[in-house]
Amino acid sequence: MSSKTLTLPARLVRHCFHKPRRVVCVDPVRLYYGSPQGATGSDVRTVDLRSDTVTKPGAAMRRAMAQAEVGDDVFGEDPTVNELQKTAADMFGMEAALYVPTGTMSNLIAVMVHCRERDDEMIVGDLSHIHVYEQGGSAQLAGVHSATVTTLGDGTFDLDQLISKIRHGYPDPHYPRSRLVCVENTHNIQGGRVLPLSFLQELRSVADKFGLAVHMDGARVMNAAVALAVQPSVILQHCHSVSVCLSKGLGAPVGTMLGGSKDFIQRAVRARKTLGGGMRQSGVLAAAGKIALSDMIGRLEEDHRNARRFAQALLKCDPSLYRVDLTTVESNILRFCLRDRRMSPAEFCERMAGVDEEEVKALGQGVRVLMFPHVGDTVRAVWHLGISEEDTQLAIQKAQFVAQQHKLKSVRAA
């Protein structure tokens, strides 16, 4: 990182002393699903780091969608969907795959197929997406009870604790029956952590010993594969089923692939229909998924590189406002803290998303950087195909500007 990258222009510091400001603010507290609004115009650039779900299909993907050969997928007659499902199954190293509208539905279908009786139970991490962000659908719609294990900082959990949660009393009528254990890779809440292959191997051994199935919420498993420099099948060989999102870093507008054995997928087709996920001429959407799997995986490394570059810049920022553990920056998601407790993550996100005249004068343009306050008093930022190296540099400059403003404000207050 060059000194030029990390040094604030003198005019920026000068303008930070000006008190009168016209600030455009946003409400960041809705976390994942808020829609920040602010100033727009030719002198304002937006860098949207809220999530990799904000990606948009490019020209090649849109052309493929427009030209897709279609049929009735509920009848199994959509050739584009069938090609996508075959491609995904081969890539996953699994017997079959199913195209599903959303990741939440895909995870729920997996739970429904693995846990077929109303007294069945699944074991999940207490910070997993399935447990926290999917509205308890396994209980609402599948009648499946959840037991939790403590999610560790690297996204794994203690296997001894897992074993302690497995029910051994069946068919005693007092207890549910342990059927399934779920993992998440990469781990969203823990900042895009990549599950070690050794952990997955040991987990599968435990699952086999106690007769449990292993499902991976692999919404970002392609990021994990790129980070580990392995084929997805190397990761997924330790799982009975997997859910892989096409509409995050891979850039498709919609869709998730559910992979598993032929028997599993046959049952999944029935569950998908029950949940309203049977689509007709869905090859229009599946065409985008084909591009996602064929062309978009390799470029994920760019997102990882930009996330790490931003993290390194935060550590070198003067004044020192940010705290980052670089050992945790493994993919496209970054979590960081603020050293000064007088600025909350919500306030920081508001300042990053706001644009005022001082900033335009100091930086030459306004930059709206959209992030979310996150769990544990952290800030979450996610890189994706819509964020270039130039965008990352603008986000770095904005973070430096906010840090300098905060320091000057503190000095004036003192």
Side-chain angles (χ1 to χ4, degrees), residues 98-110:
L98 183 67
Y99 186 54
V100 178
T102 73
T104 296
M105 181 184 288
S106 184
N107 283 331
L108 180 56
I109 290 172

Side-chain angles (χ1 to χ4, degrees), residues 360-371:
V360 174
K361 292 178 180 177
L363 299 181
Q365 66 177 323
V367 180
R368 301 174 64 235
V369 181
L370 308 183
M371 302 177 179

Side-chain angles (χ1 to χ4, degrees), residues 76-323:
E77 297 174 356
D78 190 303
T80 306
V81 172
N82 292 338
E83 290 173 11
L84 172 62
Q85 291 174 162
K86 178 64 165 58
T87 297
D90 291 344
M91 182 176 291
F92 301 166
M94 294 181 168
E95 291 180 350
L98 183 67
Y99 186 54
V100 178
T102 73
T104 296
M105 181 184 288
S106 184
N107 283 331
L108 180 56
I109 290 172
V111 172
M112 293 172 69
V113 174
H114 288 303
C115 303
R116 302 174 195 170
E117 299 182 29
R118 292 187 66 84
D119 63 344
D120 285 348
E121 179 179 69
M122 66 176 184
I123 304 173
V124 298
D126 61 349
L127 296 181
S128 66
H129 196 280
I130 288 176
H131 184 64
V132 177
Y133 293 119
E134 298 182 11
Q135 207 183 105
S138 58
Q140 279 198 65
L141 303 175
V144 176
H145 184 260
S146 297
T148 61
V149 288
T150 303
T151 304
L152 303 178
D154 63 354
T156 67
F157 41 78
D158 182 78
L159 294 181
D160 288 334
Q161 186 186 28
L162 170 67
I163 292 171
S164 74
K165 294 298 182 81
I166 298 173
R167 310 281 185 168
H168 300 289
Y170 186 84
D172 187 312
H174 293 92
Y175 306 110
R177 176 166 46 178
S178 299
R179 287 285 201 181
L180 173 67
V181 58
C182 299
V183 292
E184 184 178 335
N185 194 18
T186 63
H187 200 284
N188 180 9
I189 284 183
Q190 296 295 41
R193 299 302 299 271
V194 178
L195 301 189
L197 293 175
S198 58
F199 167 77
L200 294 173
Q201 183 177 14
E202 293 171 10
L203 171 64
R204 179 60 183 265
S205 295
V206 170
D208 288 346
K209 179 179 179 180
F210 292 100
L212 303 180
V214 177
H215 172 68
M216 178 177 287
D217 176 2
R220 297 181 177 89
V221 74
M222 296 305 175
N223 292 89
V226 168
L228 293 173
V230 300
Q231 294 297 316
S233 58
V234 174
I235 298 172
L236 300 178
Q237 65 181 315
H238 306 296
C239 306
H240 294 91
S241 62
V242 65
S243 174
V244 181
C245 188
L246 303 174
S247 61
K248 292 185 170 67
L250 300 184
V254 65
T256 290
M257 302 309 302
L258 178 62
S261 68
K262 289 182 179 178
D263 178 69
F264 174 88
I265 293 300
Q266 286 174 356
R267 295 176 183 273
V269 170
R270 292 182 57 82
R272 183 185 68 174
K273 185 66 173 175
T274 300
L275 297 175
M279 299 183 288
R280 300 295 178 172
Q281 287 70 38
S282 50
V284 173
L285 300 174
K290 289 177 61 179
I291 298 293
L293 291 183
S294 64
D295 296 355
M296 305 303 288
I297 296 174
R299 63 148 308 280
L300 295 175
E301 173 59 30
E302 178 184 342
D303 300 335
H304 298 186
R305 186 168 56 250
N306 283 332
R308 189 167 187 83
R309 180 172 172 234
F310 184 82
Q312 291 170 332
L314 291 185
L315 284 178
K316 297 177 182 179
C317 186
D318 183 19
S320 179
L321 178 62
Y322 310 108
R323 186 170 70 250

